[in-house]
Amino acid sequence: MNLVVVGAQWGDEGKGKMVDYLSEDADLVVRFSGGANAGHTIKVDDKTFALHLIPAGIISPGKTVVLGNGMVIDPASMFEELAGIAAQGIEWEGRVVVSDRAHLVLPEYKSEDRSIDERRARPIGTTGRGIGVAYMRKASRDGIRIADLWDPIIWGALSDSEKDWLEPYKGRLAAMKVNLAAFMMEHQGKKILLEGAQGALLDLDHGTYPYVSSGISTTPGAALGAAIGPRRIDKCLGVFKAYQTRVGNGPFPTEMTAESGAGDLAATLRELGHEYGVTTGRPRRIGYLDLVALKYAGWVNSLDGFILSHLNLYDGFDTISVSTAYELDGETIDFFPSNAADLERVKPVLQEFPGWDGKVADARKIEDIPEGARRLVDFIEDFTDVPVHGYSVGPLRDETFMKVEPWIQS
């Protein structure tokens, strides 16, 4: 069975924790997109793991993880990250394989990435890690893949400085590389977890273009980036938070701002949720849960179910507001606009729900969820037409539970 997990918002929804949780029953974990601009935080007992390139399944003992051909890989960052988790007691040797069709991020891409963004009339707010440049060169057929390191013509066309930088990594990569299509054929029939990066609203095609990532962060990318056909995807789950966050520039229809009188609420949620970027450390922008965008994410990902995280942050609140529509130029709309300029002008139409007695944070099964919180979840399910299959009510593994068995085909 092939199970896909993606973010249903602008990233930072808790995908890494859920991949770690679901990895316990998986045979193989494959990350299918993105690069070192991603950030997954996983807490196990008294240890916190910050992952950027390595699939979150690496924390589960004995699991094999794969960096797919939809990724762009900075080998220096990758081996530094592997050394870091080794220092925390994770044995990774022999458990990490890399698609030989994955593209490489070279050092000069980073300065080029920053330079391009500085020249834009409206900068995107890139992390400056060369991801966009690597994808740009891939699309223009000027990139270099791991497989190309042993192609005499392509290797010979590299500059001396590029060769000098890559040479120390060639032997290490040779021991890890696989022909991913053949590798996946060998493992068909097993439980395979396909891990996305970023979120649906940062997808190159379906996100808030041009304020998006350069890769595919929706479920169709799993078929491409993991070298399997689309008919082999059995289930798609989307993770979302009970509020909204975004890092960097771009439209954010439900953003809580000081001008709207919600600045204090944003600051409270930011501190409660530790909303600072894993990769950059930047404070995340905070907004009300956007059900218009969430419904859209359900459509473009063909989601079978949601996993809801951070609902516990509203424990003790008197009221909780969510956006159920937008106002655009005096008209109420219930769809997610394609144009970034329209998204920047819309105003959220908010619906208020009462808080609840009891604590979502104490729940370990669906029956433990306070009645008031369940009424809110029922509303979300009815609005989006996607059921909530599971909950994350805290950062630890045992603060996660599923209402629907994930490894049963829908």
Side-chain angles (χ1 to χ4, degrees), residues 15 42 66 86 105 138 142 180 182 215 283 294-295 300 308 340-341 391:
K15 295 183 302 299
I42 301 166
V66 181
V105 178
K138 175 180 179 178
D142 294 316
L180 189 55
L294 192 63
K295 185 174 186 176
V300 298
L308 171 55
Y391 294 82

Side-chain angles (χ1 to χ4, degrees), residues 160-207:
D160 289 341
S161 63
E162 289 171 334
K163 292 177 187 176
D164 289 343
W165 187 80
L166 285 166
E167 189 65 49
Y169 301 116
K170 285 182 69 173
R172 302 180 75 181
L173 288 169
M176 300 167 68
K177 69 182 178 72
V178 295
N179 181 308
L180 189 55
F183 182 85
M184 296 299 284
M185 285 294 290
E186 292 172 6
H187 288 82
Q188 64 179 327
K190 295 183 179 180
K191 290 182 178 179
I192 300 176
L193 185 58
L194 303 165
E195 172 188 345
Q198 285 84 44
L201 302 181
L202 290 174
D203 182 80
L204 184 60
D205 287 290
H206 298 295

Side-chain angles (χ1 to χ4, degrees), residues 46-51 59 81-91:
D46 60 344
K47 293 182 179 180
T48 299
F49 299 91
L51 302 175
I59 308 303
E81 188 173 320
L82 288 171
I85 62 174
Q88 290 180 279
I90 301 297
E91 296 181 1

Side-chain angles (χ1 to χ4, degrees), residues 256-257 262-271 284 286-287:
M256 299 173 181
T257 62
D264 289 344
L265 177 57
T268 296
L269 289 172
R270 182 178 294 113
E271 294 309 311
R284 295 171 184 147
I286 310 292

Side-chain angles (χ1 to χ4, degrees), residues 28-31 55 64-68 71 97-99 178 180 183:
L28 195 66
V29 181
V30 183
R31 171 136 165 231
T64 298
V65 302
V66 181
L67 282 72
M71 294 184 66
V97 299
V98 184
S99 171
V178 295
L180 189 55
F183 182 85

